[in-house]
Amino acid sequence: MTTTASHDHDGATHSDGAKIIETTLEHPIQIHLWEDRTRGELWVPTFDPTGLELLADDYLRIAGNNAVDNGQRTFEFKAIKPGTHRVLFEKRMGWKFTAEDRRVFDVTASDPSSRRSG
């Protein structure tokens, strides 16, 4: 059994387009995004470090040879305090000033000690 939650843009969505992720303070979450590094794509996260901590940023090459490099980028976050914390990912291209794409996630963290077991 895994203690992390994986999210590939298929969960609940706020009216503003943000994907909703629910967790507790003791359980890290993972967000998976695809990158085509052949094109120079790079996802850059923006978040408040007083609410979330970035634990890991890993890249798994799925298809690659001398001409192609694409794969899955996994960001692992842990909530530091209860509440809703927004993470904005912007897809940057090496030669462009503005982001080509964006993804928004609202991480709602609860304190597990405040939950009643039953």
Side-chain angles (χ1 to χ4, degrees):
M1 185 166 129
T2 182
T3 59
T4 60
S6 297
H7 299 277
D8 293 309
H9 313 304
D10 59 356
T13 306
H14 279 296
S15 60
D16 67 357
K19 303 294 180 184
I20 302 166
I21 302 172
E22 294 184 3
T23 189
T24 63
L25 295 181
E26 61 188 20
H27 287 44
I29 57 106
Q30 292 182 343
I31 299 173
H32 304 287
L33 300 169
W34 289 95
E35 286 182 347
D36 183 350
R37 292 189 172 182
T38 308
R39 295 185 46 214
E41 295 177 356
L42 183 68
W43 285 105
V44 178
T46 303
F47 60 96
D48 181 357
T50 63
L52 290 174
E53 178 182 3
L54 180 62
L55 300 177
D57 175 357
D58 297 316
Y59 177 73
L60 176 62
R61 177 185 258 177
I62 302 299
N65 56 36
N66 289 340
V68 177
D69 182 8
N70 60 32
Q72 187 177 55
R73 184 117 172 249
T74 300
F75 296 89
E76 186 172 16
F77 292 95
K78 184 175 182 180
I80 298 170
K81 63 183 180 182
T84 300
H85 312 289
R86 181 155 281 200
V87 183
L88 168 66
F89 289 94
E90 293 183 315
K91 186 189 290 181
R92 299 287 180 176
M93 305 295 275
W95 58 90
K96 286 185 176 180
F97 180 72
T98 58
E100 181 175 275
D101 196 3
R102 65 181 46 213
R103 300 281 188 270
V104 182
F105 294 86
D106 281 341
V107 179
T108 302
S110 60
D111 186 347
S113 64
S114 67
R115 288 184 171 180
R116 294 189 181 265
S117 59

